[in-house]
């Protein structure tokens, strides 16, 4: 089932999907057969990920899970790959008490998580096994949450939360590079929980949910991104409705910029200018000067961006007031999610097998 229509230019890339499919299929089969060894660690491992490229809400979901487990009393650590970071190897972003590196050393998303999750150590390492061992040995982690790790097979997870953007589904249904799929949707049968994100924006919710049910027996839950407040680089906070009626110049470098702009308009902002940069864009002084100039030409009362972008703007000077919109993930049936991935009393013990949720 294709949730969205296929664009004919993508068909030109179809021949390139075959080697990608072969490599992906072979890798999974070798892990399934035990030829490639999976490692187990003496704590509960929860993988958060997706089967498509682009922003489905993985980082907000990691934050949501960590907060929920932390409130329950579990010692939680985050281990991330650290996409587009400048420092290689293992990097401890936060020990749970203080930030230890700058964003460039670890990547924008791990740094953002470290600032939003006091008490939760954050580690980046391409080697998730090594990073998780540090989480256990140095920080006494009872639960390690892996960010963007559904495709990671070397470290055996005890539970996996797989996110599907309810607006886009699986796109044209093709694998990279002709489509958005990182691997075939059939792999969803291995998910512990499926979460449909941005459900408030979806027009395809019912058919997408029905399609997912044919692929997996895992529970299907709904989640939405909700605005929390606005903050400035200096740390002052404004209520979420303070943007209503304001002339705003909005910009971002995220995977789904339209959702950000739409949310601002729903909050009552008057968007006099909008600019979408590539995901994880590294802002230059020239970029900032251009944004301020466009804002001034359009009499914008402020520039507004995302939390992830604000991380990459540290140290930059703005001639127009800069706000960032802070959002949070809200999950329907949140307790059901938590009990599926980390049943009470199980997170403190060494999990001996992956749990199958029906």
């Amino acid at each position: 089932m294709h949730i969205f229509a296929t664009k004919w230019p993508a068909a030109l890339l179809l021949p390139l999907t075959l080697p990608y499919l072969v490599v992906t299929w072979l890798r999974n089969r070798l892990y399934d057969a035990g030829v490639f060894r999976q490692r187990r660690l003496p704590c509960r491992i929860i993988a958060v990920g997706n089967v498509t490229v682009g922003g489905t809400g993985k980082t907000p979901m990691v934050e949501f899970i960590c907060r929920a487990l932390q409130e329950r009393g579990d010692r939680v650590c985050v281990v991330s790959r650290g996409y587009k970071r400048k420092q290689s190897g293992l990097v401890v972003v936060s020990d749970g008490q203080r930030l230890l590196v700058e964003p460039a050393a670890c990547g924008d998303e791990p740094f953002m998580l470290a600032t939003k999750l006091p008490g939760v150590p954050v580690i980046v390492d391409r080697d998730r096994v090594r990073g998780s061992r540090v989480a256990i040995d140095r920080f006494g982690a009872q639960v390690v949450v892996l960010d963007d790790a559904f495709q990671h097979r070397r470290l055996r997870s005890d539970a996996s939360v797989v996110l599907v953007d309810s607006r886009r589904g699986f796109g044209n249904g093709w694998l990279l590079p002709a489509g958005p799929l990182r691997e075939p949707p059939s792999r969803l049968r291995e998910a512990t929980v499926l979460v449909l994100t941005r459900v408030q924006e979806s027009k395809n919710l019912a058919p997408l949910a029905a399609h997912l049910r044919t692929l997996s027996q895992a529970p299907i839950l709904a989640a939405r991104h909700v605005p929390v407040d606005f903050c400035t680089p200096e740390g002052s906070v404004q209520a979420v409705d303070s943007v209503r009626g304001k002339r705003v110049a909005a910009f971002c470098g995220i995977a789904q910029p339209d959702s950000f702009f739409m949310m601002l308009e729903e909050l009552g902002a008057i968007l006099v200018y909008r600019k979408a940069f590539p995901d994880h864009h590294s802002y230059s002084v020239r970029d900032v000067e251009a944004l301020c100039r466009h804002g001034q030409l359009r009499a914008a009362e402020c520039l507004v961006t995302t939390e992830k972008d604000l991380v990459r703007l540290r140290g930059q000077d703005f001639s127009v007031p800069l706000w960032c919109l802070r959002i949070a993930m809200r999950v329907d049936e949140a307790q059901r999610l938590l009990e599926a991935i980390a049943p009470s009393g199980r997170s403190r013990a060494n999990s001996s097998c992956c749990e199958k949720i029906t």
Side-chain angles (χ1 to χ4, degrees):
M1 175 183 179
H2 302 331
I3 303 304
F4 296 94
T6 299
K7 301 295 185 181
W8 72 264
L12 300 177
L13 297 173
L14 267 177
L16 300 179
T17 67
L18 182 58
Y20 183 88
L21 173 62
V22 170
V23 170
T24 301
W25 179 87
L26 181 60
R27 176 178 177 272
N28 283 328
R29 296 294 76 75
L30 290 173
Y31 270 112
D32 293 341
V35 177
F36 287 171
R37 181 186 171 194
Q38 287 188 298
R39 307 297 177 91
R40 285 192 176 279
L41 294 179
C43 78
R44 192 161 187 81
I45 305 293
I46 300 172
V48 176
N50 54 19
V51 294
T52 58
V53 295
T56 54
K58 295 185 296 294
T59 303
M61 177 57 75
V62 168
E63 179 190 351
F64 176 87
I65 291 171
C66 287
R67 287 186 188 278
L69 293 173
Q70 193 180 30
E71 289 173 5
R72 197 174 73 176
D74 296 326
R75 291 195 299 273
V76 188
C77 288
V78 174
V79 176
S80 173
R81 176 180 55 161
Y83 184 65
K84 284 201 171 181
R85 60 188 170 117
K86 295 183 178 179
Q87 184 172 328
S88 60
L90 184 145
V91 176
V92 178
V93 185
S94 165
D95 60 5
Q97 305 301 319
R98 62 193 187 280
L99 295 168
L100 302 176
V101 296
E102 289 297 310
C106 61
D108 49 15
E109 289 164 342
F111 190 89
M112 185 177 74
L113 284 169
T115 62
K116 299 186 73 174
L117 291 171
V120 176
V122 177
I123 298 166
V124 296
D125 195 348
R126 186 178 181 86
D127 184 342
R128 308 291 182 94
V129 176
R130 180 176 61 183
S132 298
R133 282 176 173 154
V134 170
I136 297 168
D137 296 341
R138 180 169 171 181
F139 300 111
Q142 297 165 328
V143 184
V144 170
V145 181
L146 303 177
D147 187 14
D148 193 10
F150 188 55
Q151 283 73 41
H152 184 82
R153 300 289 306 272
R154 183 165 167 258
L155 176 58
R156 181 74 175 265
S157 61
D158 299 288
S160 54
V161 180
V162 183
L163 309 182
V164 180
D165 188 323
S166 62
R167 304 162 308 160
R168 291 176 167 79
F170 304 131
N172 59 17
W174 294 344
L175 289 174
L176 291 168
L181 287 170
R182 301 164 79 170
E183 57 185 338
S186 58
R187 177 128 192 278
L188 292 178
R189 67 181 180 274
E190 300 177 30
T192 307
V193 178
L194 301 177
V195 180
L196 290 170
T197 62
R198 296 189 174 93
V199 294
Q200 74 275 22
E201 302 174 28
S202 176
K203 298 179 181 178
N204 302 291
L205 199 56
L208 178 56
H211 182 47
L212 290 177
R213 179 52 62 217
T214 68
L215 298 169
S216 174
Q217 295 303 307
I220 301 174
L221 306 182
R224 61 205 78 235
H225 292 65
V226 297
V228 176
D229 56 29
F230 291 93
C231 73
T232 68
E234 297 74 33
S236 63
V237 177
Q238 301 289 335
V240 73
D241 61 354
S242 60
V243 78
R244 185 170 300 278
K246 284 187 180 294
R247 294 175 60 85
V248 167
F251 69 97
C252 61
I254 59 176
Q256 306 292 350
D258 290 344
S259 289
F260 171 62
F261 298 140
M262 183 186 304
M263 185 174 288
L264 290 176
E265 290 179 323
E266 290 173 349
L267 292 172
I270 303 169
L271 296 191
V272 296
Y273 176 74
R274 63 184 75 193
K275 174 68 174 177
F277 292 92
D279 195 12
H280 300 281
H281 179 69
S282 179
Y283 291 95
S284 66
V285 173
R286 182 173 297 179
D287 289 331
V288 171
E289 290 174 347
L291 289 167
C292 292
R293 184 168 61 253
H294 283 296
Q296 291 168 338
L297 287 172
R298 292 161 176 80
E301 297 173 70
C302 60
L303 296 171
V304 179
T305 192
T306 71
E307 281 186 280
K308 192 168 85 168
D309 289 282
L310 188 63
V311 167
R312 288 177 262 121
L313 289 163
R314 284 164 61 94
Q316 298 270 25
D317 294 322
F318 284 79
S319 56
V320 177
L322 176 65
W323 292 8
C324 90
L325 174 62
R326 296 197 288 197
I327 64 167
M329 181 78 80
R330 296 287 183 265
V331 181
D332 297 347
E333 301 183 87
Q335 189 59 35
R336 188 182 179 197
L337 169 67
L338 192 62
E339 284 300 315
I341 62 175
S344 301
R346 289 291 305 280
S347 59
R348 291 172 174 78
N350 180 10
S351 301
S352 60
C353 62
C354 289
E355 293 167 355
K356 183 177 178 60
I357 304 297
T358 59

